[in-house]
């Protein structure tokens, strides 16, 4: 997992040299008024999702994990808390959706670390790293970009 300022993205370019800088160069051009939707930079190898949704203080949604994609999350507007949580030892991998590259598992606050995202700060979750987005200290609408970078 990486949690850093957008200005420092080049420190991590070795993760995927062909795609990392390209994705972040594109991110630097986005504004809070960028239209929602999917932006393909390299087909399903590298794409971005611009989203708008409400974060909730006491959300009941589960944590999630991916197997093939690195998930980079950056807010364009608002404040969101994402919890990083290790996969539980008893997680049932049979529930993993291969086509959507997503699995869900129960959120456990006592084993989770909160990461506060706001414009200019990003979090990156590697395949196998559990995380729970869409949380906040109060109900509010955020605009966010999720970069999906396939690492297989």
């Amino acid at each position: 997992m990486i949690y850093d300022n957008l200005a420092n993205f080049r420190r991590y370019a070795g993760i995927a040299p062909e795609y990392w800088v390209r994705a972040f160069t594109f991110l630097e051009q986005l504004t809070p008024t960028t239209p929602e939707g999917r932006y393909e930079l390299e087909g399903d190898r590298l794409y971005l999702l611009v989203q708008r949704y409400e974060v909730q203080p006491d959300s009941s949604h589960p944590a999630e994990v991916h197997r093939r994609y690195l998930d980079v999350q950056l807010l364009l507007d608002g404040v969101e808390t994402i919890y990083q949580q290790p996969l539980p030892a008893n997680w049932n991998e049979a529930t993993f959706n291969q086509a959507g590259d997503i699995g869900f598992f129960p959120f456990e606050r006592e084993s989770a670390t909160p990461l506060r995202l706001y414009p200019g700060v990003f979090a990156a979750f590697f395949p196998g790293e559990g995380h729970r987005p869409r949380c906040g200290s109060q109900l509010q609408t955020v605009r966010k970009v999720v970069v999906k970078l396939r690492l297989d």
Side-chain angles (χ1 to χ4, degrees), residues 13-33:
I15 293 168
E18 317 94 65
Y19 304 111
W20 185 266
V21 173
R22 184 168 180 203
F24 277 86
T25 301
F26 192 85
L27 283 177
E28 288 181 317
Q29 299 171 26
L30 302 181
T31 70
T33 61

Side-chain angles (χ1 to χ4, degrees), residues 14-63:
I15 293 168
E18 317 94 65
Y19 304 111
W20 185 266
V21 173
R22 184 168 180 203
F24 277 86
T25 301
F26 192 85
L27 283 177
E28 288 181 317
Q29 299 171 26
L30 302 181
T31 70
T33 61
T34 299
E36 296 169 42
R38 180 177 168 135
Y39 295 78
E40 292 190 10
L41 301 180
E42 286 289 331
D44 60 344
R45 164 71 62 191
L46 175 63
Y47 63 94
L48 295 84
L49 302 169
V50 177
Q51 308 169 334
R52 181 179 176 268
Y53 58 80
E54 287 188 343
V55 297
Q56 301 177 359
D58 293 318
S59 177
S60 62
H61 63 278

Side-chain angles (χ1 to χ4, degrees), residues 1-6 24 27 51 53 55 71-84 113-125 131-138 140-147:
M1 190 244 339
I2 299 169
Y3 177 68
D4 205 345
N5 289 308
L6 183 59
F24 277 86
L27 283 177
Q51 308 169 334
Y53 58 80
V55 297
D71 220 18
V72 178
Q73 306 202 11
L74 173 75
L75 285 175
L76 299 175
D77 189 41
V79 176
E80 176 180 2
T81 299
I82 297 180
Y83 288 89
Q84 186 279 328
T113 302
L115 304 171
R116 189 167 186 247
L117 291 187
Y118 50 90
V121 171
F122 73 95
F125 300 95
H131 54 285
R132 182 183 187 225
R134 298 182 177 243
C135 303
S137 59
Q138 63 185 17
Q140 72 169 293
T141 301
V142 299
R143 291 186 57 81
K144 177 172 150 182
V145 182
V146 177
V147 175

Side-chain angles (χ1 to χ4, degrees), residues 77-131:
D77 189 41
V79 176
E80 176 180 2
T81 299
I82 297 180
Y83 288 89
Q84 186 279 328
Q85 178 185 334
L87 284 172
N90 63 349
W91 179 55
N92 182 0
E93 291 200 37
T95 63
F96 190 82
N97 177 330
Q98 293 290 342
D101 190 48
I102 193 163
F104 297 100
F105 60 96
F107 175 67
E108 297 174 4
R109 187 175 300 274
E110 48 285 344
S111 67
T113 302
L115 304 171
R116 189 167 186 247
L117 291 187
Y118 50 90
V121 171
F122 73 95
F125 300 95
F126 288 84
E129 293 182 336
H131 54 285

